[in-house]
Amino acid sequence: MEVTSGNQNNAAPDLTATATNDKKKDLSTATISRQVITLTELPTHRDQLPLKENGTIWVVNDCSTLSTTIVEQLQQRGFNSELISPNHDIVPQQLVGLVIIAPQVGTDSQFLSDSFQLVQRCGAALKNHGADEASCLVTVSRLDGKCGFGGETTIIDPLSGGLAGISKTASHEWSEVNCKAVDLGADLSETAQAESVIDELLHADPLEVGINASGRCTLALQEKNLATDSPALHLTAEDVVIISGGARGVTAEVANAMANSGQPTLLLLGRSPLPEPEQNWLLAAHDEAAIKKALMTHAAQPLKPRELNNACSKVLNNRELTHNIQRLQQAGSKVIYRSVDIRDEQAVASAVTEARDLGNIRGFIHGAGVLADRKIEDKTPEQFEMVYSTKINGLQALIQATYNDNLDFIALFSSSTGRFGRSGQVDYAVANEVLNKSAQALTRQRKSCRIVSFNWGPWDGGMVTPALKKIFAAEGIGVIDLQVGSHYLLQELAHNDNEVEVVILGGTEQTPAKNDKSDEHNNGDNNGKKKPVSNVYSDKVFDLHLNSNNMPVLHHHVINNKAVVPMALLVEWLAQGALHNNPGLIFYGFDNLRILNGIKLAANNDTAIGLRYGGTSVEDGTFIIPMQIYNETDQTIHASADIILSSALPDQRPAIDPLVVDGAEMATQGEIYSAGQLFHGPLLQGLKQVIGNNTEGIIALSSNAPPPAKWMENPLRNTWVADPQLLDSAFQMMILWSFAQKHLGSLPNFAAQYRQYCEQFPSGTTRIQCRVTKTSQNSASANIDFIDERTRQLLARLEGYECTMTENLHQAFVNNQL
């Protein structure tokens, strides 16, 4: 399965994009909140973390005797502690703790990547133990014993600060695990360091702890806004300013503020190609539809949907780039735009040498960045490397290129993700924490240079869609106005109060309401079914290119000699599409799932489908995101649903009303799938036993889905959001029920509501009970519960399931070979 993101250019400083602010707008209500970090003492009394004696605790070898001392002291306390390398790959079913210590000889980027992958491998073991008893993840950096905020103290190992990004992210994603980021000072003896790390291992809070000879401390935020009359940075035409991140998005708006403050020469470094003159036949096309029509008309051969989308994106990007450069030139600045990989030291140095001939290098702004949001368990090493290296290798290239320049300022575009952590952004958190601590180290080295690491909140534009703005508003996070934020940056660089890391959030004087329940999003009753949230679907998430060769599971779901994409898999894609731009949220369920036109493929045929979403609404703390799956060629809609996301799952689960059925038992899996009623091949044969089947309903036991890679090549995620096998097993049960009670085959077409009460289904066996609520000659409805067979807890509930029953389905099921 080939996947193409709907956002073709994901280069962005934080959550940013197009900034075309030529029209004057009222900025009087836009505000900036500036917070600084202060050190505070740890509270005297803290909760103990009751780690299980004899439990296994892994300690990563730090190439010194500190890690061995910690292991020995843990063993003396009754723990089964082991010294491991960061590449250790044989993980037990359960882990009580994992301690990752920065190497004494210094951290490098490879160690951070290895540490992330180790945490990824250990995640299930830590969560498994944490589900019943306490477990912990502790990362240990070697900054200054004060998390980098020691003022004049030396920052020993800036890159080790990135370890805190792992702990902060895990604290958001893994509620079962106690996570902590510890920073050790070099002024402590090794014995004191070991005792302190173990002591923090055995205490629950806080998330960040600094340990030095003077004691222990943690961090707190303090509001410290600049004075309203603070001067902005003064620049002249003799100055040269370097800006990474290109001439699009937020960095374009920052460059515009620079140009209007003194007309300096601007060296813009971006990934986009140099702007090209447009063909005459394209000049009259002013919107996306017109551009695509012109491209199709003048194409040498027919364009596939993905090719057309890519070509259109290239035109739009080219126009935005051209417009922004012209804007800077009209403000009086000379502009040098160079298309470079910011990680390429030689290419960056060459561009800087060229710009140096036009004036004095006054400073640089490092705004380049990319996102690849995935939960820890789903993120690939390649995604981690791409996100991390763009920030960190890019910074190193800029530092090397300007090493001999007498800089007045350095501005680093970090993120609030680095300060607070955020689900789905472990690589971004690590990279931005390295930026933060590199800024601290550079400040101590370049005394006369104003160096600021801006921990930006989300900006108002581009990747922050109206839907995301509602989500941030519900979380109490305001977005930063492009013009206000850009002007503020110039003020911060001119202001010197010795603050290096500043947290910048946006907002307005009137805080938006958290719950938007406008008339257009009224979810009132509609003949027993909830009304769809939105009828407007405009934003594409990604494309999927399907064929039976890259999706083995399709060979196991064949009806009438054609592969049919299972409804359970459509649910998975709709959910993943909704989560794509909302990595901090959790899948909670869906409303109004409709199968409108099934996706059918003959042998060796392929098809391109797209996922798009409509306007998000917020209701009772949940986020309702309308999603559609459609055919890229003819725009046929295959399926739609309102996906429900939440920041947390409810603590209380609904009660289970036990279903009692008897008769029609099938004791074995072989008996179930050899009866000639189900068409499913081995990959989808999840039912293990049918316990009972009568007019009231059907009860059966099912296994979970295998990893996504078993069903398809290049899956969107490495783990499932729901569990398509369990869902499909439920649908298979209704086929068995319809044959037993109505002598007809059946296929699903609608489901009114689904709620899932666990982030991931537990391994093992799940009991599924389908309670039939309504029947007619050709249809049946049911409510379906998914129950943990071991704990008898409700895992998920599907209500208002509807299937169609017809006589011709039996023969269609028999023809189950492509």
Side-chain angles (χ1 to χ4, degrees):
M1 179 179 66
E2 187 177 356
V3 184
T4 306
S5 173
N7 180 12
Q8 296 298 322
N9 186 346
N10 62 349
D14 285 359
L15 302 174
T16 64
T18 306
T20 54
N21 289 283
D22 296 310
K23 295 181 180 180
K24 299 292 184 182
K25 60 180 179 181
D26 181 13
L27 303 179
S28 60
T29 61
T31 61
I32 285 287
S33 167
R34 177 183 189 257
Q35 296 175 313
V36 300
I37 295 94
T38 61
L39 296 172
T40 63
E41 292 184 3
L42 285 184
T44 306
H45 299 289
R46 293 186 289 157
D47 292 337
Q48 292 276 337
L49 192 64
L51 298 181
K52 180 183 178 181
E53 288 190 13
N54 299 320
T56 300
I57 299 178
W58 280 1
V59 180
V60 171
N61 191 340
D62 72 334
C63 303
S64 81
T65 54
L66 173 61
S67 52
T68 56
T69 301
I70 290 174
V71 168
E72 291 169 358
Q73 291 192 16
L74 285 170
Q75 289 173 347
Q76 292 170 11
R77 291 171 182 250
F79 295 102
N80 176 27
S81 57
E82 301 177 28
L83 191 68
I84 66 163
S85 80
N87 301 116
H88 197 73
D89 59 1
I90 301 175
V91 183
Q93 284 292 105
Q94 295 196 347
L95 268 179
V96 169
L98 174 63
V99 182
I100 300 176
I101 308 173
Q104 188 183 49
V105 295
T107 304
D108 59 15
S109 296
Q110 186 60 53
F111 180 80
L112 292 175
S113 177
D114 290 343
S115 297
F116 151 68
Q117 292 178 63
L118 175 63
V119 169
Q120 186 180 56
R121 290 193 296 272
C122 294
L126 289 168
K127 290 190 288 183
N128 286 342
H129 194 275
D132 299 319
E133 301 184 68
S135 66
C136 63
L137 167 66
V138 178
T139 57
V140 182
S141 59
R142 298 176 184 269
L143 298 169
D144 59 358
K146 297 181 179 179
C147 302
F149 294 93
E152 294 301 315
T153 58
T154 301
I155 301 294
I156 299 170
D157 183 5
L159 264 67
S160 72
L163 290 171
I166 297 176
S167 292
K168 292 178 187 179
T169 306
S171 72
H172 286 276
E173 296 186 15
W174 298 350
S175 59
E176 308 93 333
V177 182
N178 188 72
C179 301
K180 184 172 291 190
V182 173
D183 181 46
L184 285 180
D187 55 356
L188 286 168
S189 68
E190 184 179 277
T191 300
Q193 288 181 335
E195 291 175 349
S196 298
V197 169
I198 293 173
D199 191 53
E200 289 304 323
L201 191 73
L202 299 174
H203 282 91
D205 293 315
L207 177 58
E208 293 180 275
V209 176
I211 305 173
N212 56 79
S214 301
R216 300 186 200 181
C217 58
T218 188
L219 306 180
L221 287 174
Q222 176 185 341
E223 194 86 15
K224 191 178 180 182
N225 288 318
L226 297 178
T228 54
D229 59 351
S230 293
L233 185 69
H234 178 66
L235 298 167
T236 71
E238 305 301 318
D239 298 325
V240 176
V241 177
I242 306 165
I243 302 177
S244 75
R248 300 173 56 219
V250 169
T251 46
E253 200 62 33
V254 169
N256 190 53
M258 288 273 179
N260 283 289
S261 72
Q263 296 80 47
T265 295
L266 298 172
L267 171 60
L268 307 179
L269 305 176
R271 295 192 308 165
S272 300
L274 288 166
E276 301 173 350
E278 286 188 1
Q279 300 289 335
N280 290 334
W281 51 262
L282 193 55
L283 295 174
H286 297 300
D287 57 32
E288 185 172 338
I291 292 170
K292 287 184 175 180
K293 182 177 180 181
L295 289 170
M296 288 188 291
T297 301
H298 291 84
Q301 56 188 17
L303 296 174
K304 294 181 179 180
R306 183 177 56 166
E307 294 171 337
L308 181 60
N309 288 333
N310 290 343
C312 182
S313 294
K314 182 178 178 181
V315 171
L316 293 172
N317 292 346
N318 188 73
R319 288 184 177 182
E320 182 186 352
L321 196 60
T322 301
H323 169 79
N324 286 335
I325 290 174
Q326 290 173 347
R327 199 160 55 122
L328 301 177
Q329 292 170 334
Q330 290 166 3
S333 279
K334 296 177 183 176
V335 180
I336 306 172
Y337 179 84
R338 292 295 174 261
S339 177
V340 299
D341 182 341
I342 192 63
R343 302 169 296 182
D344 185 337
E345 288 191 11
Q346 186 174 352
V348 172
S350 177
V352 171
T353 298
E354 178 186 358
R356 196 177 283 116
D357 292 338
L358 299 178
N360 298 317
I361 307 293
R362 183 82 181 274
F364 69 76
I365 298 171
H366 183 33
V370 296
L371 297 174
D373 292 353
R374 290 287 188 276
K375 293 288 186 70
I376 289 173
E377 57 267 29
D378 293 322
K379 196 175 296 287
T380 66
E382 293 76 19
Q383 290 168 335
F384 185 96
E385 161 64 17
M386 177 184 66
V387 173
Y388 175 87
S389 63
T390 301
K391 285 285 186 187
I392 305 311
N393 294 14
L395 173 61
Q396 292 169 348
L398 289 168
I399 290 173
Q400 288 298 319
T402 59
Y403 185 78
N404 294 317
D405 293 292
N406 187 22
L407 302 182
D408 290 328
F409 64 85
I410 295 174
L412 305 182
F413 271 44
S414 183
S415 168
S416 56
T417 294
R419 172 91 311 269
F420 305 115
R422 188 172 184 85
S423 291
Q425 295 189 335
V426 62
D427 41 13
Y428 206 54
V430 171
N432 284 303
E433 272 290 71
V434 172
L435 278 191
N436 290 336
K437 304 318 170 189
S438 297
Q440 296 282 4
L442 287 168
T443 296
R444 290 153 172 80
Q445 297 165 11
R446 297 195 179 210
K447 301 288 187 180
S448 61
C449 182
R450 174 70 171 132
I451 300 172
V452 185
S453 190
F454 293 86
N455 286 232
W456 298 112
W459 288 75
D460 186 6
M463 290 170 65
V464 179
T465 61
L468 276 176
K469 286 173 69 174
K470 288 185 178 182
I471 291 173
F472 285 126
E475 293 178 355
I477 299 174
V479 294
I480 301 168
D481 179 87
L482 286 164
Q483 293 181 28
V484 172
S486 299
H487 179 69
Y488 160 77
L489 181 142
L490 269 62
Q491 288 182 303
E492 183 71 63
L493 293 179
H495 182 77
N496 196 351
D497 59 359
N498 298 319
E499 300 294 348
V500 179
E501 298 178 48
V502 292
V503 178
I504 309 301
L505 303 176
T508 59
E509 292 179 358
Q510 291 184 336
T511 304
K514 288 190 176 182
N515 291 327
D516 182 355
K517 299 182 181 179
S518 58
D519 290 340
E520 69 176 82
H521 297 319
N522 180 7
N523 291 320
D525 186 78
N526 181 20
N527 296 324
K529 300 176 183 177
K530 290 191 176 182
K531 290 175 63 178
V533 172
S534 172
N535 292 321
V536 179
Y537 295 80
S538 57
D539 296 306
K540 182 166 67 174
V541 184
F542 45 66
D543 302 321
L544 302 176
H545 296 267
L546 314 179
N547 65 62
S548 58
N549 294 324
N550 62 24
M551 289 190 67
V553 71
L554 293 182
H555 287 275
H556 300 257
H557 200 264
V558 177
I559 303 173
N560 234 0
N561 302 123
K562 288 189 176 181
V564 179
V565 178
M567 183 167 109
L569 200 50
L570 297 178
V571 169
E572 185 72 21
W573 289 341
L574 290 166
Q576 292 184 12
L579 287 166
H580 185 73
N581 290 331
N582 303 295
L585 299 180
I586 300 168
F587 174 65
Y588 182 33
F590 60 75
D591 292 337
N592 302 310
L593 171 66
R594 299 179 187 277
I595 305 303
L596 303 170
N597 291 279
I599 304 174
K600 304 172 186 177
L601 295 92
N604 300 318
N605 283 7
D606 59 10
T607 188
I609 63 171
L611 277 81
R612 59 191 175 199
Y613 64 92
T616 300
S617 64
V618 183
E619 182 176 337
D620 297 329
T622 62
F623 305 90
I624 307 170
I625 303 175
M627 295 292 303
Q628 280 185 346
I629 296 176
Y630 64 97
N631 187 285
E632 286 273 22
T633 303
D634 60 15
Q635 299 297 301
T636 297
I637 299 172
H638 293 297
S640 66
D642 297 330
I643 301 298
I644 314 298
L645 304 181
S646 179
S647 58
L649 296 177
D651 294 329
Q652 299 295 323
R653 307 182 187 202
I656 300 172
D657 183 11
L659 177 65
V660 179
V661 297
D662 53 24
E665 293 184 12
M666 293 182 178
T668 67
Q669 189 175 53
E671 188 179 350
I672 294 170
Y673 291 101
S674 63
Q677 297 175 339
L678 298 176
F679 57 88
H680 305 74
L683 271 185
L684 286 167
Q685 292 178 0
L687 292 175
K688 299 164 69 174
Q689 179 185 356
V690 174
I691 296 172
N693 183 351
N694 65 14
T695 56
E696 299 294 318
I698 180 172
I699 299 175
L701 302 180
S702 175
S703 56
N704 294 47
K710 295 286 187 181
W711 281 14
M712 66 197 74
E713 296 177 5
N714 303 315
L716 297 174
R717 291 171 175 254
N718 296 325
T719 56
W720 300 112
V721 174
D723 189 305
Q725 178 61 77
L726 294 179
L727 286 172
D728 198 74
S729 289
F731 306 155
Q732 294 177 36
M733 291 165 61
M734 287 303 297
I735 295 175
L736 294 175
W737 180 91
S738 63
F739 271 122
Q741 308 304 326
K742 300 292 183 178
H743 308 291
L744 298 171
S746 68
L747 285 175
N749 58 58
F750 177 80
Q753 178 176 288
Y754 172 78
R755 294 295 181 267
Q756 186 170 304
Y757 301 102
C758 54
E759 282 196 59
Q760 287 187 321
F761 283 85
S763 58
T765 300
T766 298
R767 174 180 289 256
I768 305 174
Q769 63 175 37
C770 303
R771 186 189 305 272
V772 176
T773 57
K774 183 180 178 181
T775 63
S776 66
Q777 183 177 354
N778 293 109
S779 68
S781 301
N783 294 334
I784 303 172
D785 282 353
F786 300 83
I787 304 165
D788 189 322
E789 179 67 0
R790 182 176 66 87
T791 65
R792 294 304 171 101
Q793 274 193 318
L794 181 68
L795 301 174
R797 173 168 288 169
L798 178 64
E799 296 181 291
Y801 168 88
E802 296 181 9
C803 61
T804 300
M805 301 182 292
T806 62
E807 292 182 0
N808 61 358
L809 282 178
H810 183 265
Q811 185 58 46
F813 290 174
V814 171
N815 300 330
N816 66 346
Q817 299 296 316
L818 272 178

